[in-house]
Amino acid sequence: MDWEPDLVIWWDFVFKGIPPGIAQCPYPTAVIVGDWNLGFSMILDYLKAVDFVLGDKGLIEKLSQRGVRNCAYWPAYSFDPSQHCLIHTVERIYDVAFVGNINFRVQRERSFYLQRLARLGQKYKVLIGHGIFGPSYARYLNQSKIVFNHSI
């Protein structure tokens, strides 16, 4: 073999689990954790199998409180200038828009705000969308005068 990895990275194991045998991987291993609030106890179990954890500030704070030092902040779900940009040719057809996860079990607090936002639809043009990604996501946001979000 002419090539060997410097690092093996596994992304979003909260939903996919981690590969069997990763603890015996001959290369350094890291996991990128999203939606840790849905399975924090599982994350603590999996930490024994990997060398390093990357996550948002909330996760890193919780891990640090438990004495975990092999972790660092990394904004996995954040600004991407190639997609999150102003599209000047798009008409603003919505007064307020939200595009994202609307699952009550995952986004309990957000769901209360979305209910209030939906009620504004009696007076304003409101979009509440989910399952929209990539260029379509950016297009919907650009079609809106105001974009709403509330993250965990």
Side-chain angles (χ1 to χ4, degrees):
M1 175 190 239
D2 292 339
W3 176 85
E4 292 187 15
D6 295 318
L7 176 68
V8 175
I9 301 174
W10 192 251
W11 193 313
D12 209 9
F13 70 93
V14 171
F15 294 109
K16 299 173 187 169
I18 59 173
I22 197 167
Q24 291 78 36
C25 181
Y27 307 104
T29 56
V31 292
I32 299 170
V33 182
D35 294 325
W36 59 268
N37 57 303
L38 301 177
F40 185 69
S41 60
M42 177 183 63
I43 292 168
L44 293 174
D45 291 340
Y46 282 153
L47 284 179
K48 301 169 194 139
V50 298
D51 298 313
F52 205 76
V53 177
L54 298 165
D56 67 18
K57 291 177 182 177
L59 173 63
I60 300 311
E61 182 179 322
K62 283 187 94 76
L63 293 176
S64 296
Q65 289 170 354
R66 287 170 170 72
V68 176
R69 300 289 173 244
N70 62 332
C71 58
Y73 166 67
W74 188 62
Y77 305 98
S78 65
F79 178 70
D80 176 355
S82 69
Q83 288 195 21
H84 304 120
C85 58
L86 185 60
I87 304 172
H88 295 283
T89 57
V90 173
E91 181 185 355
R92 305 266 189 272
I93 59 175
Y94 302 106
D95 293 307
V96 185
F98 166 82
V99 179
N101 189 335
I102 61 172
N103 184 324
F104 177 78
R105 289 185 176 99
V106 175
Q107 295 285 349
R108 188 172 305 264
E109 189 173 348
R110 177 190 286 169
S111 67
F112 295 111
Y113 290 114
L114 291 178
Q115 287 175 352
R116 293 176 72 183
L117 182 61
R119 286 194 297 270
L120 289 175
Q122 297 169 2
K123 186 175 180 182
Y124 300 98
K125 188 148 185 187
V126 174
L127 168 73
I128 297 177
H130 63 95
I132 301 168
F133 305 98
S136 295
Y137 175 82
R139 185 168 199 76
Y140 278 112
L141 297 184
N142 270 273
Q143 290 176 323
S144 308
K145 296 173 186 172
I146 298 172
V147 174
F148 168 79
N149 194 6
H150 181 277
S151 65
I152 297 169

